[in-house]
């Protein structure tokens, strides 16, 4: 999936979490959710986040260890250590959904890194992804208007 689709889904999740956890800072929820939804693509040098961390794509293959559940758990533990359980849960959800979306693509991912590759039928940047992208825009606008 393209970074913009992951971003829109991350924004969708943040709106859901803002509704659920109204006692947490909404700005931080949005930033954390958007960041976590992009972080797995740090291993791709042309991605939104990967272009700032080119060294990582040199050492790690795209859709390798950063696209595994292990990375999601490890990074979530860091967030838990430095903040609290709620933020760790939000981070994990956004990271995990990135993996879920990528597993629906033809290239797929190895969720446990060493195991079997899981793939779907969606081609990255294809018409199907564009439909998902525009549906997410409409849903996000609807949710945003409901929250404001
Ligand atoms: Zn990815």
């Amino acid at each position: 999936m393209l970074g913009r689709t992951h971003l829109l889904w991350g924004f969708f999740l943040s709106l859901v979490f803002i509704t659920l956890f109204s006692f947490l800072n909404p700005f931080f929820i949005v930033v954390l959710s958007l960041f976590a939804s992009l972080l797995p693509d740090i291993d791709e040098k042309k991605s939104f986040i990967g272009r700032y961390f080119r060294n990582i794509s040199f050492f790690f293959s795209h859709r390798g260890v950063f696209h595994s559940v292990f990375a999601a758990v490890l990074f979530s533990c860091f967030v838990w250590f430095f903040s609290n359980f709620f933020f760790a849960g939000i981070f994990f959800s956004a990271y995990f959904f990135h993996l879920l979306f990528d597993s629906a693509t033809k290239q797929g991912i190895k969720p446990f890194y060493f195991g079997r590759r899981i793939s779907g039928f969606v081609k990255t940047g294809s018409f199907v992804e564009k439909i998902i992208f525009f549906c997410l825009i409409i849903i996000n606008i609807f949710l945003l208007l409901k929250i404001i």
Side-chain angles (χ1 to χ4, degrees), residues 14-47:
S14 70
L15 295 176
V16 171
F17 287 125
I18 287 169
T19 310
L20 290 175
F21 308 122
S22 54
F23 52 91
L24 295 174
N25 182 340
F27 177 75
F28 194 65
I29 291 176
V30 172
V31 170
L32 187 69
S33 187
L34 293 180
F35 176 70
S37 67
L38 289 180
L39 188 59
D41 282 340
I42 200 167
D43 58 14
E44 164 56 51
K45 66 183 175 192
K46 291 178 184 169
S47 70

Side-chain angles (χ1 to χ4, degrees), residues 7 10-12 22 31-32 50 59 61 71 83 85 114 131 138 140:
L7 265 181
F11 190 61
F12 167 76
S22 54
V31 170
L32 187 69
F59 291 108
S61 60
S83 60
F85 183 75
F114 295 109
I131 290 173
I138 292 166
N140 283 345

Side-chain angles (χ1 to χ4, degrees), residues 2-143:
L2 294 172
R4 62 186 186 198
T5 310
H6 288 301
L7 265 181
L8 277 179
W9 181 262
F11 190 61
F12 167 76
L13 281 179
S14 70
L15 295 176
V16 171
F17 287 125
I18 287 169
T19 310
L20 290 175
F21 308 122
S22 54
F23 52 91
L24 295 174
N25 182 340
F27 177 75
F28 194 65
I29 291 176
V30 172
V31 170
L32 187 69
S33 187
L34 293 180
F35 176 70
S37 67
L38 289 180
L39 188 59
D41 282 340
I42 200 167
D43 58 14
E44 164 56 51
K45 66 183 175 192
K46 291 178 184 169
S47 70
F48 278 147
I49 197 163
R51 69 181 71 154
Y52 300 104
F53 300 93
R54 286 177 186 264
N55 294 341
I56 290 176
S57 63
F58 183 77
F59 291 108
F60 298 96
S61 60
H62 183 45
R63 296 197 177 187
V65 72
F66 282 98
H67 281 72
S68 71
V69 177
F70 301 121
V73 171
L74 183 72
F75 288 128
S76 300
C77 285
F78 277 122
V79 174
W80 190 1
F81 183 77
F82 288 107
S83 60
N84 60 47
F85 183 75
F86 290 104
F87 287 133
I90 291 167
F91 182 92
F92 180 82
S93 304
Y95 201 105
F96 183 78
F97 270 105
H98 180 116
L99 304 182
L100 208 63
F101 270 56
D102 278 356
S103 71
T105 62
K106 281 184 176 175
Q107 191 184 352
I109 62 160
K110 288 181 176 176
F112 300 105
Y113 187 57
F114 295 109
R116 206 173 138 250
R117 180 173 293 274
I118 295 175
S119 59
F121 65 92
V122 180
K123 196 176 167 200
T124 302
S126 67
F127 183 68
V128 175
E129 184 171 352
K130 284 181 179 129
I131 290 173
I132 295 169
F133 179 79
F134 285 109
C135 287
L136 282 172
I137 288 177
I138 292 166
I139 292 168
N140 283 345
I141 290 172
F142 176 76
L143 278 177

